[in-house]
Amino acid sequence: MSYSSDISITQFNMIRRYLPKVKKTRPRKYSELSLINGMLYVLVNGCKWRDIPSDLPSWHSVYKYYRTLVISKYLDHILYKLNDRYFKLKSKNINNKHNNLPNHIIVTDSQSIRCTDLMSGKDKGYDGNKKVNGLKRFILMDVLGCVWYTRCVKGNLSEKTEIRKIMKNFTSMKAYPKRFKSLLADKGFESESLKQDLLKESGITLYSMKSTKRLKNNTIFDKDQIEYIKQQNKLIKSLRWIVEQGFAHLDKARRLIVNHEKRTKMHEGFVKLQFIRLKLNQLVR
């Protein structure tokens, strides 16, 4: 029986060589395609591991395979390879509208989600701004909609502090695309010291949306400066919708609406798996 969450054989062949190798002396009981479809069933339908249908592999096998992909960072490698393939596909077509987009720009934002009582209190925090007790998800996306990095942290941690760590880890990766030179963000990332630190440590320039309230409260009202900031905010906002679209894609998977995982790493794995699923659908169209 097939489900709406399943991937096709064509899609599976795109990621087959990036999956864990199997020893010939100890073959798997279930095929890799059926194990991945079992993981996707849990992701899309939001059910418990034990509620996987009987025509799919046993939940023990599916969970063990998913845990291997997350801990050994196979999902990160698959996501990078699919992004490279998608970028090359769009670059080949000269008449494609995506060629006019600035490919050196990467966009970031965070999203707070609620956690269930399965996660211990020390692993989650209260986001006072959005009134959410749980996790905060960060993603880095380029202008083509490819997600290059994801990270989940406590909800009470500062965005400015975490983006320093995220960009440092992202730029230190071997597969890091050297074409990225600019980072766009909203007002929550506005900081001159953060901008200088990112440029010094990562070689990436931060362009964040700025507030004009401080200028209006000053005794000297600089009208030209306020107008310049408004134009800059408008330009950043015209590209920031991409990251909001990425968060909207996560809401299509019921497992990601609320965090049901005991460990943050497991929730990060589902986020990456959802973006892998979406990228596979885009490549097969």
Side-chain angles (χ1 to χ4, degrees):
M1 184 176 177
S2 61
Y3 300 94
S4 59
S5 59
D6 292 352
I7 60 173
S8 64
I9 298 177
T10 305
Q11 292 172 323
F12 174 69
N13 289 333
M14 292 181 182
I15 62 174
R16 189 171 190 172
R17 57 178 171 172
Y18 309 124
L19 296 173
K21 304 299 180 184
V22 185
K23 292 182 179 179
K24 293 182 179 180
T25 55
R26 191 180 179 183
R28 284 198 179 94
K29 183 179 179 181
Y30 304 102
S31 66
E32 292 175 312
L33 177 59
S34 62
L35 290 170
I36 290 174
N37 285 335
M39 290 159 40
L40 293 174
Y41 184 89
V42 175
L43 169 67
V44 176
N45 295 284
C47 68
K48 297 179 181 178
W49 288 105
R50 295 175 185 269
D51 292 339
I52 293 177
S54 57
D55 56 334
L56 289 172
S58 66
W59 75 270
H60 296 91
S61 302
V62 176
Y63 178 74
K64 185 178 179 181
Y65 190 68
Y66 171 72
R67 192 171 178 273
T68 302
L69 295 181
V70 173
I71 294 176
S72 301
K73 297 184 177 181
Y74 283 100
L75 294 177
D76 300 72
H77 187 59
I78 293 171
L79 190 58
Y80 266 69
K81 292 297 182 181
L82 291 178
N83 287 341
D84 284 335
R85 184 167 183 168
Y86 186 77
F87 177 74
K88 291 175 182 177
L89 182 67
K90 292 298 180 182
S91 300
K92 282 182 181 179
N93 192 351
I94 300 174
N95 298 322
N96 198 299
K97 63 179 182 179
H98 294 292
N99 287 326
N100 299 324
L101 293 175
N103 293 322
H104 65 281
I105 290 176
I106 195 166
V107 192
T108 187
D109 201 358
S110 66
Q111 181 189 43
S112 296
I113 61 160
R114 186 172 61 86
C115 290
T116 61
D117 57 354
L118 291 173
M119 178 170 276
S120 62
K122 64 179 182 179
D123 294 327
K124 59 184 177 181
Y126 184 73
D127 185 356
N129 186 29
K130 298 178 182 177
K131 307 296 187 294
V132 175
N133 186 25
L135 295 177
K136 192 176 283 187
R137 296 189 294 218
F138 289 84
I139 61 173
L140 296 176
M141 297 183 70
D142 63 11
V143 291
L144 294 178
C146 299
V147 178
W148 293 93
Y149 194 86
T150 64
R151 181 176 171 83
C152 296
V153 297
K154 292 186 193 178
N156 60 339
L157 295 179
S158 171
E159 293 176 336
K160 298 174 185 176
T161 305
E162 289 305 314
I163 198 63
R164 283 187 175 93
K165 300 176 183 177
I166 289 171
M167 295 307 299
K168 189 174 182 179
N169 293 336
F170 176 57
T171 53
S172 62
M173 289 181 174
K174 290 182 179 180
Y176 161 67
K178 301 296 188 294
R179 68 176 184 273
F180 295 136
K181 302 296 179 184
S182 304
L183 175 68
L184 303 186
D186 61 6
K187 294 178 183 178
F189 298 85
E190 180 189 356
S191 173
E192 192 62 33
S193 61
L194 175 62
K195 184 177 181 179
Q196 294 175 2
D197 290 344
L198 290 180
L199 186 61
K200 183 179 179 181
E201 296 174 1
S202 308
I204 291 180
T205 306
L206 172 66
Y207 296 96
S208 60
M209 297 177 67
K210 295 179 171 55
S211 175
T212 57
K213 290 182 179 179
R214 280 180 256 173
L215 289 174
K216 290 181 179 179
N217 294 333
N218 290 342
T219 54
I220 301 174
F221 185 78
D222 195 341
K223 190 174 180 180
D224 294 336
Q225 193 173 0
I226 292 176
E227 190 63 31
Y228 172 76
I229 291 174
K230 286 182 178 179
Q231 291 295 327
Q232 187 182 23
N233 289 350
K234 187 177 180 181
L235 183 62
I236 295 173
K237 193 175 181 180
S238 65
L239 288 174
R240 276 202 68 257
W241 66 271
I242 297 170
V243 74
E244 300 298 338
Q245 190 181 49
F247 286 130
H249 285 314
L250 294 180
D251 292 336
K252 294 178 182 178
R254 295 187 178 184
R255 187 81 177 191
L256 297 175
I257 296 174
V258 178
N259 178 36
H260 297 277
E261 313 307 317
K262 292 183 180 180
R263 296 175 59 190
T264 308
K265 210 73 178 173
M266 295 295 109
H267 184 80
E268 274 186 25
F270 273 126
V271 173
K272 294 168 187 174
L273 190 62
Q274 172 65 354
F275 284 123
I276 288 172
R277 175 173 168 263
L278 292 169
K279 196 56 60 183
L280 285 173
N281 290 337
Q282 290 175 349
L283 288 168
V284 171
R285 284 176 191 170

